Amino acid sequence: MSKSLASTGLRWLWLALVVLIIDLGSKQLVMQHFMLHESLPLIPFFNIFYAQNFGAAFSFLADKGGWQRWMFAIIALVIAVALMVLMYRSESRQRMTNCAYALIIGGALGNLFDRLVHGVVIDFIDFYVGDWHFPTFNVADSAICIGAFLIVLEGFMRPADKTAKQKG
């Protein structure tokens, strides 16, 4: 018996598309309106700062000569495919899990697009306190982090749900 795609977690892929559109659109706006390393203070702890990241999170492996671009591209593709398989295997009513996977997929594809088209990931969100700046990031990075947080959060919630079902 085959199940309809609407009954699977793949029904939540619209969220990945929303993340991808917002991510690519925001990066395009920054590239069109800012020079590289230009900063626009918005509020006392937040700037728009156009940066290019040759590595991964927190510029991991950014100075390794270019091979990391392809490694991170392959990793993003593998993760996106693996999460889509997990979404297909899950039920559409598993909202938190499927939303988490969709956020991660959308973020991974947004950064993958940057790597393939620009050769770097476009970052622009700059939070700071005094002279200390958190590493610059983008919408895709935010979606990936929120998705990962939701997976961890669900891990803490699930055992209680299972225990309640076993007692009931």
Side-chain angles (χ1 to χ4, degrees), residues 2-164:
S2 69
K3 54 185 174 180
S4 75
L5 290 181
S7 69
T8 72
L10 291 175
R11 125 182 255 173
W12 292 91
L13 279 178
W14 64 266
L15 182 56
L17 183 60
V18 168
V19 167
L20 185 60
I21 290 168
I22 293 171
D23 179 61
L24 295 180
S26 61
K27 290 172 180 174
Q28 190 62 38
L29 283 171
V30 168
M31 289 187 297
Q32 286 177 344
H33 297 286
F34 288 79
M35 298 289 290
L36 185 61
H37 300 164
E38 183 180 352
S39 183
L40 173 66
L42 295 180
I43 52 179
F45 57 87
F46 176 65
N47 296 331
I48 301 294
F49 176 75
Y50 179 17
Q52 296 179 341
N53 183 352
F54 291 88
F58 309 113
S59 295
F60 177 65
L61 296 178
D63 59 348
K64 296 301 177 196
W67 61 265
Q68 71 277 19
R69 169 186 179 191
W70 302 109
M71 181 186 75
F72 292 134
I74 291 167
I75 290 170
L77 278 173
V78 168
I79 288 171
V81 170
L83 291 177
M84 283 190 269
V85 168
L86 290 173
M87 289 175 82
Y88 176 74
R89 292 179 179 171
S90 71
E91 296 180 16
S92 65
R93 67 175 187 237
Q94 292 177 289
R95 291 182 187 104
M96 188 179 295
T97 300
N98 291 315
C99 285
Y101 293 165
L103 288 168
I104 294 169
I105 291 167
L109 294 179
N111 285 340
L112 172 63
F113 178 88
D114 280 2
R115 287 188 205 309
L116 296 179
V117 172
H118 306 295
V120 296
V121 173
I122 306 303
D123 288 331
F124 59 91
I125 300 171
D126 176 31
F127 283 104
Y128 64 94
V129 176
D131 290 335
W132 179 85
H133 288 256
F134 189 79
T136 309
F137 59 101
N138 58 43
V139 173
D141 299 333
S142 300
I144 292 167
C145 289
I146 292 167
F149 173 78
L150 290 174
I151 290 170
V152 170
L153 181 63
E154 186 195 29
F156 285 110
M157 293 170 52
R158 284 228 172 220
D161 293 343
K162 289 178 184 175
T163 304

